[in-house]
Amino acid sequence: MNNRLNIAKTYKLYIDGKFVRSESGRFEALQINEDSVVVNICRASRKDFRNAVSSSRKAVDGWWARTAYNRSQILYRIAETMDGRKEQFLEELQCCGMKTKAAEKEFETAVDRFVYYAGWADKFQQLFSTVNPVSSSHFNFSLPENQGVIAIMAPISSPLTGLVSLIAPAICAGNTVVCLTSGNASLAGITLAEALHASDVPAGVVNLLTGIESELAPHFASHLDVNGIVYGGSDSHISKQIEVDAAENLKRVKIFLNGDWSDEAIHSPYDILQHCEIKTTWHPIGT
Amino acid sequence: MNSHILNFYTTPIVDEIGVKERVARLNSRSVKKQSKMAALHLALSMIDLTTLEGMDTPGKVIQLCQKAKYLHAPFSDLPMVAAICVYPTLVKTAKQELEGTAIAVASVATGFPSGQTDLQSRLAEITYAIEEGADEVDMVISRGKFLAGEYESVFEEIARAKEICGKVHLKVILETAELTTLDQVRRASEIAISAGADFIKTSTGKAKTGATQPVTLVMLETIRDHHLKTGEKIGMKPAGGISDSKTAIRYLVMVKETLGVEWLTPKLFRFGASSLANDVLMQIAKQKGGAYQSADYFSKG
């Protein structure tokens, strides 16, 4: 006979390297299986988002100042840490309705994505840098640098692979991110935050919020201190409004409506370039 | 006659827990919408934009003065900041740059920030700052003497500084982080006020901690007690570490609740700060436009 009581986990937001409840005190109940087990998940407010952005902003310079090799090591470390928590991830993916096989594929693809981008972290700059011909006595070269703070709205359909496919290229390029996961996807999302927390990822490089997409999208898109926004959801009204609001400060917008996240073709070094600014330098010859 | 002899050994003791609870209670006040907008504008008008670094140059001070004159071009209804606060050698530069505006120039003096030099040269520094054109002088007290219990000599140095200042505003910096207890803060405040300070100011910004709310509340209460006794109005200036609007508004609530609306003016209340102005401007822009702001769109202070 087992008299031990279940210990229900509190799923909290991940802001500035800390697990916190929403400042609004709001939460949503999620029924995660047929036995009516209910989990309470924080419902982030616009102020939580604001706090997350200031944390990401603070973290940008330090993250970019690290060597590309070190960013690579940390991305690989995330894959290692995730792999050690396989059981937990699988359980949570099944909670949101995935079959065992599908959950396993989802998990493995997600881990592989981190390995993939870990490999690219110290290579993409040389690949995308160019020496440009100019008609004066200058060396002229262009190279990609980080953009800053990227806001990410992750898909519900692919709780782990979708989220990782959006986070990994952005932080690989030396950016910091604020992500939103919604609905059932929040469980695996927050567990990913725990893996990140245990993987030498500096505070603020990834901030993870759980909440309602339609409520937070206008704030994600209009915040003037956000440099780029990626929408991975499935609502074309929201994606359109994001494009309109993002125009205010010329955020770079990338929309994946109903993307197939398990597809190998979805990851590529061009996704890293998407999150870069190109800097061109003119250097006089022979002086 | 005896009642006229000041005795700083018997100043009131402060209930530290009570002060903290009062601060916490005042912090729970919610200031929204029009009141928030009014508070933000008021806070802006009370700022002493400050630069007190060893590496300050005339160029840096000119930049700061430009910031003071043109806070944020897109908004036409912004108030001016109260003053620019610099080292004595840079007063002339600031004065020239601010000619024709209502913005005052404040100078720190008397061996800022430690005050550890002889009285003659400290007083000479005040004379120099005033000759250079300072409208306000921020002096430091000798914390060493104060902590050794030599209250008369601290009184003496402030009184002589005030003598030199004459009509020039004298702000007395207590450097509360070094006074260790709220009892000492109360005592130092009483000494400064009775020696003729126009303003009392918490910190130099060079110690481990700057202004805190409990310390400010104790100083405000000293000002209130003095006002009740004599009718005189002494000003207050918290400085150091106040960098966001939310904190600034909390200070304003404390002032209003302790001293009343009469003190909600730059003549009697100032913030010593370098980065507060931009945060207030960003909050005003947020209130007007709805979107969260980025420091990229505001000039550097």
Side-chain angles (χ1 to χ4, degrees), chain B residues 147-189:
Chain B
L147 292 171
E150 298 170 30
Y151 305 138
E152 285 77 10
S153 84
V154 175
F155 179 92
E156 167 92 7
E157 68 184 37
I158 301 170
R160 292 192 54 190
K162 181 61 195 169
E163 229 171 72
I164 297 171
C165 284
K167 282 191 175 151
V168 170
H169 251 60
L170 178 68
K171 304 189 203 119
V172 178
I173 306 173
L174 309 180
E175 192 63 302
T176 52
E178 294 179 359
L179 302 184
T180 63
T181 64
L182 292 180
D183 292 346
Q184 301 273 54
V185 171
R186 170 85 196 200
R187 181 174 290 143
S189 306

Side-chain angles (χ1 to χ4, degrees), chain A residues 240-255:
Chain A
K240 192 174 169 208
Q241 194 53 47
I242 284 176
E243 292 187 89
V244 173
D245 292 342
E248 176 68 26
N249 69 334
L250 305 178
K251 279 183 201 67
R252 197 171 299 165
V253 182
K254 178 91 176 168
I255 309 279

Side-chain angles (χ1 to χ4, degrees), chain B residues 50-294:
Chain B
T50 303
T51 181
L52 295 168
E53 301 292 337
M55 58 185 180
D56 283 350
T57 57
K60 170 87 193 289
V61 170
I62 290 170
Q63 185 197 357
L64 197 70
C65 293
Q66 291 292 325
K67 171 82 181 167
K69 286 196 284 188
Y70 311 104
L71 279 169
H72 189 53
F75 300 150
S76 53
D77 59 342
L78 292 175
M80 292 270 196
V81 296
I84 291 283
C85 183
V86 292
Y87 272 118
T89 47
L90 295 160
V91 166
K92 197 170 245 170
T93 312
K95 199 67 194 165
Q96 278 166 2
E97 205 56 33
L98 294 173
E99 215 184 314
T101 70
I103 304 166
V105 176
S107 169
V108 294
T110 70
F112 182 93
S114 70
Q116 293 284 26
T117 176
D118 75 288
L119 188 58
Q120 283 317 315
S121 48
R122 293 172 67 205
L123 295 174
E125 210 183 332
I126 297 182
T127 313
Y128 170 71
I130 294 173
E131 280 168 5
E132 291 291 288
D135 307 298
E136 303 174 357
V137 169
D138 289 27
M139 73 171 285
V140 290
I141 62 164
S142 301
R143 280 85 75 192
K145 285 189 180 151
F146 178 84
L147 292 171
E150 298 170 30
Y151 305 138
E152 285 77 10
S153 84
V154 175
F155 179 92
E156 167 92 7
E157 68 184 37
I158 301 170
R160 292 192 54 190
K162 181 61 195 169
E163 229 171 72
I164 297 171
C165 284
K167 282 191 175 151
V168 170
H169 251 60
L170 178 68
K171 304 189 203 119
V172 178
I173 306 173
L174 309 180
E175 192 63 302
T176 52
E178 294 179 359
L179 302 184
T180 63
T181 64
L182 292 180
D183 292 346
Q184 301 273 54
V185 171
R186 170 85 196 200
R187 181 174 290 143
S189 306
E190 293 208 355
I191 294 173
I193 292 172
S194 51
D198 296 303
F199 262 74
I200 49 177
K201 172 174 168 184
T202 59
S203 317
T204 59
K206 302 291 180 195
K208 260 182 271 150
T209 49
T212 64
Q213 285 187 280
V215 156
T216 307
L217 184 60
V218 169
M219 292 169 75
L220 290 170
E221 282 172 350
T222 316
I223 292 171
R224 180 194 59 201
D225 294 347
H226 181 77
H227 177 66
L228 292 175
K229 222 183 296 172
T230 67
E232 276 177 356
K233 288 180 184 168
I234 306 297
M236 172 73 206
K237 175 175 172 184
I242 304 170
S243 56
D244 60 70
S245 316
K246 194 174 188 177
T247 316
I249 291 176
R250 285 176 168 178
Y251 276 90
L252 293 181
V253 170
M254 285 203 305
V255 174
K256 161 88 166 39
E257 291 300 323
T258 315
L259 295 167
V261 281
E262 291 159 86
W263 259 265
L264 289 180
T265 148
K267 289 201 179 83
L268 289 168
F269 190 78
R270 299 278 181 85
F271 291 108
S274 46
S275 52
L276 175 62
N278 262 5
D279 194 73
V280 172
L281 290 171
M282 280 161 73
Q283 285 302 317
I284 291 175
K286 164 80 177 78
Q287 296 290 317
K288 286 191 176 185
Y292 286 116
Q293 301 293 310
S294 163

Side-chain angles (χ1 to χ4, degrees), chain A residues 46 50 222-225 249, chain B residues 32 286 291-294 297:
Chain A
R46 64 187 170 89
R50 175 199 64 188
S222 66
H223 198 311
L224 297 181
D225 213 16
N249 69 334
Chain B
K32 301 273 184 210
K286 164 80 177 78
Y292 286 116
Q293 301 293 310
S294 163
Y297 305 102

Side-chain angles (χ1 to χ4, degrees), chain A residues 63 66-80 114 117-119 121-122 199-201:
Chain A
W63 183 233
R66 287 176 183 245
T67 60
Y69 178 60
N70 186 226
R71 277 195 295 277
S72 165
Q73 286 176 309
I74 291 173
L75 282 166
Y76 192 80
R77 179 81 183 150
I78 301 172
E80 290 176 357
F114 269 122
Y117 286 107
D122 58 354
S199 310
D200 308 326
V201 180

Side-chain angles (χ1 to χ4, degrees), chain A residues 213-267:
Chain A
E213 199 179 85
S214 55
E215 178 197 342
L216 290 171
H219 302 289
F220 270 60
S222 66
H223 198 311
L224 297 181
D225 213 16
V226 170
N227 303 97
I229 181 164
V230 185
Y231 179 72
S234 53
D235 187 329
S236 59
H237 294 292
I238 291 181
S239 74
K240 192 174 169 208
Q241 194 53 47
I242 284 176
E243 292 187 89
V244 173
D245 292 342
E248 176 68 26
N249 69 334
L250 305 178
K251 279 183 201 67
R252 197 171 299 165
V253 182
K254 178 91 176 168
I255 309 279
F256 295 92
L257 270 184
N258 304 310
D260 176 8
W261 300 98
S262 62
D263 188 355
E264 284 289 307
I266 209 156
H267 65 200

Side-chain angles (χ1 to χ4, degrees), chain A residues 146-220:
Chain A
N146 69 338
Q147 252 204 307
V149 177
I150 311 293
I152 292 172
M153 311 199 85
I156 300 180
S157 56
S158 174
L160 202 54
T161 306
L163 179 62
V164 169
S165 303
L166 296 179
I167 292 177
I171 60 174
C172 179
N175 300 294
T176 56
V177 299
V178 179
C179 319
L180 177 76
T181 67
S182 307
N184 284 346
S186 308
L187 299 183
I190 290 302
T191 303
L192 175 66
E194 289 170 10
L196 294 166
H197 192 62
S199 310
D200 308 326
V201 180
V205 169
V206 180
N207 290 298
L208 222 139
L209 309 176
T210 52
I212 295 171
E213 199 179 85
S214 55
E215 178 197 342
L216 290 171
H219 302 289
F220 270 60

